[in-house]
Amino acid sequence: MSNGSSEQGLTSNSVEPDLSLSQIIALVSRLAREMAVATELDDALQIAAEAITESLSISGCGIYLLDVISGDLRLEHSVSVEDSLIEHLSCFVKDSPQAELVLSGSVSQMPLGELISEVNSPTSHQAAPDFLLVPFVGQQGKVIGGLMILYPN
């Protein structure tokens, strides 16, 4: 998928994150301090989601990991994401437009209502926050997951 469009109809904008130096320093310092005590991957992911949500003052955060067997992207941890949204965001099935967006490797931004085609109500689309996705790129340049950031539109 190229930046800005998708064959299946999802459109996103490739973005450069707009963070102040003080936000970055606060986030990195908190992550370093709190993750030093994490002994399990699950603990580290939860700590990261909480630190990102609180340090950046965003609406919510989620961390996806790629299931290497199925090819699906699964929401492993989230903070401050409404249950009604988690129902739609919990798994991006392999080859779905949502999974392709994550696996493109580009930082992407769009209204959440466009990402979740199952949310049909116009009021749900209007109330839904915007969605920012930052892919996690592992060895050999392959995407292994992503960071979802929800923020008010």
Side-chain angles (χ1 to χ4, degrees):
M1 171 174 26
S2 62
N3 291 341
S5 68
S6 166
E7 294 172 11
Q8 287 79 17
L10 282 182
T11 58
S12 70
N13 298 313
S14 183
V15 295
E16 292 296 321
D18 185 23
L19 299 174
S20 70
L21 181 58
S22 62
Q23 285 177 305
I24 294 169
I25 291 170
L27 176 57
V28 171
S29 296
R30 180 173 178 181
L31 283 171
R33 184 177 56 251
E34 293 185 13
M35 291 185 77
V37 298
T39 58
E40 300 289 329
L41 177 60
D42 276 348
D43 294 339
L45 293 175
Q46 188 63 34
I47 288 168
E50 290 170 2
I52 291 165
T53 301
E54 293 169 14
S55 296
L56 300 182
S57 300
I58 56 177
S59 299
C61 173
I63 296 178
Y64 287 89
L65 294 180
L66 179 65
D67 180 325
V68 295
I69 295 172
S70 70
D72 298 343
L73 285 152
R74 300 191 185 283
L75 183 62
E76 296 294 333
H77 288 280
S78 65
V79 174
S80 300
V81 179
E82 295 179 21
D83 290 342
S84 61
L85 291 177
I86 288 178
E87 175 183 333
H88 299 285
L89 296 171
S90 63
C91 180
F92 295 154
V93 178
K94 178 183 179 180
D95 297 328
S96 68
Q98 295 88 351
E100 288 181 9
L101 181 66
V102 177
L103 296 173
S104 73
S106 297
V107 176
S108 301
Q109 174 185 13
M110 70 176 51
L112 187 59
E114 289 181 22
L115 182 74
I116 305 173
S117 59
E118 296 86 357
V119 179
N120 298 334
S121 158
T123 55
S124 295
H125 283 269
Q126 292 169 355
D130 281 348
F131 175 93
L132 179 70
L133 178 73
V134 181
F136 298 150
V137 180
Q139 295 178 355
Q140 302 168 352
K142 293 185 180 182
V143 174
I144 59 171
L147 171 66
M148 169 186 66
I149 295 175
L150 301 176
Y151 57 96
N153 49 11

